[in-house]
Amino acid sequence: MATLMQKIKDIEDEMARTQKNKATAHHLGLLKAKLAKLRRDLLEPPSKGGGGAGEGFDVTKSGDARVGLVGFPSVGKSTLLNKLTGTFSEVASYEFTTLTCIPGVIVYRGAKIQLLDLPGIIEGAKDGKGRGRQVISTARTCNCILIVLDAIKPITHKRLIEKELEGFGIRLNKEPPNLTFRKKDKGGINFTSTVTNTHLDLETVKAICSEYRIHNADITLRFDATADDLIDVIEGSRIYMPCIYVVNKIDQITLEELEILDKLPHYCPVSAHLEWNLDGLLEKIWEYLNLTRIYTKPKGMNPDYEDPVILSSKTRTVEDFCERIHKDFIKQFNALVWGSSAKHKPQRVGKEHLLEDEDVVQIIKKV
């Protein structure tokens, strides 16, 4: 562990010393690939002996979505959980009050959202300091991250937490890189691009691939990708998730400072203690989770608007809906849909039909 940490520090120091220009792009790409491999070795538990790398937080996933509260100690994560869910998480004025993961549930617009109060992380969590590894491992299982910041502490805390999460393979408010990477048996590295590249050239791509012992591959870029984007695709273990920056304790700052915060992207100012703007936070969580509510309608009865079936925006076909209710439905069924996804009401649809939020679906089994 110590030698790995030393190697990581040596590479980070060398990257900091190296000037960024076209002449050094190849060298920096190679260093970034080495750094990504070392981080992966650091974070993966030993395969045999040694008792593993820590047991993590064993919290059963429940509800329709999971949201994690991440932040430095004493920024108000536990107070936020208490106010939003009614779940008790110990609150005190000293740091590291919460030492394990406390789950709570919010019921909002018919959806059950699990909220996790994770212990405060410290700088160096990505390298295994404190309980950082368990905290960020649990954060990887979430559908959305809330980074809780203290309004009266430096805004640089935001960048420090982002760095810790990025070091663990979590990409915040980003889409997966639009590039294709395919290994092959022979033919060398074939590098093509549909756009002008300012960051990557064939030499840099070959250097990064050789670090991963890949000598034959087809790589196609559809946007101006960086070395980090290529490394993320080769590693394949990156998680892309939405993130909201919750600035707490706004009752302790001026109105001018609050107006500046309000203009920043992905920010939501709140005061957990005084319960200011918690409705706005819930609204934003709902928007970022991008869930779809589908109401069921038994034959000859009114739709059930009390208990919707909640689907992800990425899996919202009629087939996904049927699987959430009962797997046997998909084998023999007719589906009628009312709502914005239907061309006429009701519309008879197939299993590939994409449902929209607040559609009403009636499933009739074929006899």
Side-chain angles (χ1 to χ4, degrees):
M1 182 73 77
T3 53
L4 267 180
M5 292 288 295
Q6 189 56 48
K7 284 179 184 175
I8 286 171
K9 189 178 184 308
D10 291 345
I11 291 174
E12 284 178 339
D13 290 345
E14 190 176 344
M15 284 172 68
R17 284 195 305 269
T18 308
Q19 284 189 327
K20 290 186 176 76
N21 54 48
K22 282 189 177 179
T24 59
H26 167 267
H27 179 59
L28 281 169
L30 195 61
L31 289 176
K32 284 176 178 176
K34 284 181 177 175
L35 190 62
K37 282 179 70 182
L38 287 170
R39 287 213 186 287
R40 185 184 60 197
D41 293 342
L42 180 72
L43 299 174
E44 282 178 358
S47 54
K48 48 188 170 181
E55 72 283 356
F57 299 117
D58 189 16
V59 181
T60 307
K61 199 165 186 174
S62 69
D64 303 303
R66 176 182 263 195
V67 176
L69 294 166
V70 176
F72 284 124
S74 284
V75 291
K77 298 186 298 296
S78 298
T79 307
L80 204 55
L81 179 86
N82 295 349
K83 299 289 184 184
L84 288 173
T85 68
T87 305
F88 177 73
S89 179
E90 192 177 341
V91 178
S93 57
Y94 54 85
E95 296 191 341
F96 298 106
T97 316
T98 306
L99 296 173
T100 186
C101 180
I102 313 286
V105 175
I106 311 165
V107 178
Y108 187 69
R109 297 190 183 181
K112 294 180 184 70
I113 300 166
Q114 186 181 41
L115 194 63
L116 300 182
D117 176 17
L118 295 163
I121 63 172
I122 57 172
E123 204 176 339
K126 65 181 183 302
D127 304 321
K129 286 185 185 174
R131 302 200 72 181
R133 191 175 301 177
Q134 289 111 307
V135 171
I136 307 178
S137 291
T138 309
R140 278 175 69 95
T141 67
C142 296
N143 303 103
C144 178
I145 292 283
L146 302 186
I147 292 182
V148 186
L149 301 165
D150 191 329
I152 55 175
K153 286 187 179 169
I155 203 72
T156 48
H157 284 191
K158 165 186 176 283
R159 187 67 206 118
L160 290 171
I161 292 169
E162 285 172 344
K163 192 179 173 188
E164 299 304 318
L165 294 172
E166 281 173 10
F168 223 90
I170 297 172
R171 301 290 177 260
L172 304 173
N173 295 324
K174 287 181 186 174
E175 291 295 318
N178 190 10
L179 65 91
T180 308
F181 174 82
R182 188 172 59 83
K183 287 185 188 179
K184 55 186 183 179
D185 295 330
K186 55 186 177 179
I189 301 292
N190 183 24
F191 176 60
T192 55
S193 176
T194 58
V195 295
T196 308
N197 294 315
T198 58
H199 304 290
L200 286 176
D201 56 23
L202 183 58
E203 287 305 308
T204 308
V205 169
K206 280 184 175 177
I208 291 169
C209 289
S210 67
E211 183 60 37
Y212 285 93
R213 296 178 185 172
I214 297 166
H215 305 293
N216 303 291
D218 288 330
I219 298 160
T220 307
L221 302 190
R222 295 184 191 84
F223 79 117
D224 191 10
T226 62
D228 292 318
D229 293 323
L230 179 58
I231 290 164
D232 283 353
V233 171
I234 293 172
E235 284 280 342
S237 60
R238 305 303 188 231
I239 289 177
Y240 298 83
M241 67 170 72
C243 169
I244 302 167
Y245 301 98
V246 182
V247 183
N248 190 23
K249 306 181 186 178
I250 57 167
D251 51 304
Q252 299 178 30
I253 60 172
T254 64
L255 197 59
E256 289 77 13
E257 289 171 317
L258 184 58
E259 283 174 358
I260 293 168
L261 285 174
D262 212 31
K263 290 173 186 169
L264 297 169
H266 313 297
Y267 273 74
C268 184
V270 299
S271 173
H273 178 62
L274 297 174
E275 300 185 18
W276 290 356
N277 200 31
L278 295 187
D279 290 342
L281 176 59
L282 284 172
E283 186 74 37
K284 202 148 194 161
I285 291 171
W286 178 264
E287 180 194 331
Y288 277 54
L289 286 172
N290 202 4
L291 299 174
T292 303
R293 292 162 292 176
I294 308 298
Y295 302 112
T296 54
K297 182 185 183 303
K299 194 174 179 181
M301 295 169 69
N302 290 328
D304 178 10
Y305 291 113
E306 296 299 314
D307 190 17
V309 175
I310 307 293
L311 301 175
S312 159
S313 60
K314 293 173 186 170
T315 54
R316 53 187 174 89
T317 62
V318 171
E319 184 175 6
D320 297 318
F321 171 77
C322 289
E323 283 183 357
R324 282 295 299 271
I325 298 171
H326 200 288
K327 286 181 180 173
D328 289 346
F329 270 2
I330 202 65
K331 294 173 187 172
Q332 42 174 4
F333 82 103
N334 285 316
L336 297 175
V337 175
W338 291 259
S340 54
S341 73
K343 291 175 183 171
H344 44 84
K345 297 165 180 54
Q347 181 186 351
R348 192 180 292 272
V349 297
K351 64 180 183 179
E352 299 300 323
H353 178 79
L354 278 176
L355 297 165
E356 296 289 341
D357 191 32
E358 296 198 281
D359 276 0
V360 174
V361 178
Q362 184 180 89
I363 303 290
I364 306 161
K365 285 191 81 172
K366 287 178 184 173
V367 180

